[in-house]
Amino acid sequence: GLAPGSTLSLLDVGAGSGDVVRHLVRRARARSIELRPVALERHRAAARLCRASGLATLLADGGTLPVRDRSIDVALASQLLHHLSRGSATRLVTELSRVARLGVVIADLRRSPVAAAGIWVAAQVLGLHRVTRDDGVTSVRRGFTPRELGDVLRGAGVETAVHRRPGYRLVAAWRTTVGRYAHG
């Protein structure tokens, strides 16, 4: 693991409002590790939300990251790949591997009819707007099976395991180089 006092740069591609990366910063800080996050968004409204919350933010497309090779310690894409075509998802994984010095983390949805039905029912019970309900169901339907996500990764030249996680999630993580986690 990381030693207390370590500093890592983190690129969150498709950061949305920046909630995931802000959570990671808090968790790292509790372990005396400093994360220097950069949020990357292609949607102006989401980029504004990230900036408003104090995150360094890039407005760009993940298919061609405006970041030098191996210039970020860890690259992250959370809940993003299911929004992309398989070709675009493969290009993004290739780009994440290119820019990450230490490693990449992909977290996405696992396709499941049970999860889609659960989202629909929960949205009804909670009185969520139809657009929110429909988006949640559509996102789960666009999710991956572990094999499909593995195929995207292999298409980008990445051989790593895809793990099932609670909440109908899939996670894949890999090192891009061998070396120490701490630097600086």
Side-chain angles (χ1 to χ4, degrees), residues 33-105:
I33 297 167
E34 180 186 353
L35 283 184
R36 291 177 296 161
V38 175
L40 186 136
E41 255 302 331
R42 73 177 191 133
H43 296 288
R44 290 186 190 284
R48 280 192 294 273
L49 288 172
C50 289
R51 282 190 190 107
S53 71
L55 292 172
T57 306
L58 297 171
L59 182 63
D61 186 270
T64 308
L65 295 174
V67 179
R68 291 184 328 272
D69 294 2
R70 306 285 182 246
S71 62
I72 298 290
D73 290 319
V74 178
L76 167 70
S78 178
Q79 309 306 108
L80 175 62
L81 264 60
H82 71 271
H83 291 287
L84 307 176
S85 70
R86 293 304 193 250
S88 293
T90 300
R91 279 190 301 283
L92 175 59
V93 171
T94 300
E95 281 292 285
L96 294 171
S97 289
R98 176 184 67 79
V99 303
R101 182 175 359 170
L102 298 177
V104 177
V105 178

Side-chain angles (χ1 to χ4, degrees), residues 15-34:
S17 65
D19 57 334
V20 170
V21 74
R22 286 192 313 274
H23 173 76
L24 293 173
V25 166
R26 286 189 302 273
R27 288 199 56 186
R29 188 178 302 130
R31 291 165 178 76
S32 299
I33 297 167
E34 180 186 353

